[in-house]
Coordinates of all heavy atoms in Angstrom, one line a residue:
F186 N -4.4 56.2 79.8 CA -3.4 56.4 78.8 C -4.1 56.3 77.3 O -4.9 55.5 77.1 CB -2.3 55.3 78.9 CG -1.4 55.5 80.0 CD1 -1.5 54.7 81.2 CD2 -0.4 56.5 79.9 CE1 -0.7 55.0 82.3 CE2 0.5 56.6 81.0 CZ 0.3 55.9 82.1
N203 N -0.9 60.6 79.5 CA -1.4 60.0 80.8 C -2.5 61.1 81.2 O -2.2 62.1 81.7 CB -0.3 60.0 81.9 CG -0.9 59.4 83.1 OD1 -2.0 59.2 83.4 ND2 0.1 59.4 84.2
R206 N -1.8 64.8 80.4 CA -0.5 65.3 80.5 C 0.4 64.4 79.5 O 0.2 63.1 79.4 CB 0.1 65.1 81.9 CG -0.5 66.2 82.9 CD 0.4 66.1 84.0 NE 0.4 64.8 84.6 CZ 0.8 64.5 85.9 NH1 1.2 65.5 86.7 NH2 0.8 63.2 86.3
Y208 N 3.1 62.1 78.2 CA 3.7 60.9 78.8 C 5.0 60.6 78.0 O 6.1 60.4 78.6 CB 2.8 59.8 79.0 CG 3.4 58.7 79.7 CD1 3.7 58.8 81.1 CD2 3.6 57.5 79.1 CE1 4.3 57.8 81.9 CE2 4.2 56.4 79.8 CZ 4.5 56.5 81.1 OH 5.0 55.5 81.8
Ligands
NAG3 C1 -0.4 59.0 85.5 O1 -0.9 60.2 86.1 C2 -1.4 60.0 87.4 C3 -1.9 61.4 87.9 O2 -2.6 62.0 86.9 C4 -0.2 59.5 88.3 O3 -0.7 59.2 89.6 C5 0.3 58.3 87.8 O4 1.4 57.9 88.5 C6 0.8 58.6 86.3 N1 1.2 57.2 85.7 C7 2.5 57.0 85.3 C8 2.7 55.7 84.8 O5 3.3 57.9 85.3

Side-chain angles (χ1 to χ4, degrees):
F186 287 101
N203 178 2
R206 287 192 308 196
Y208 182 67

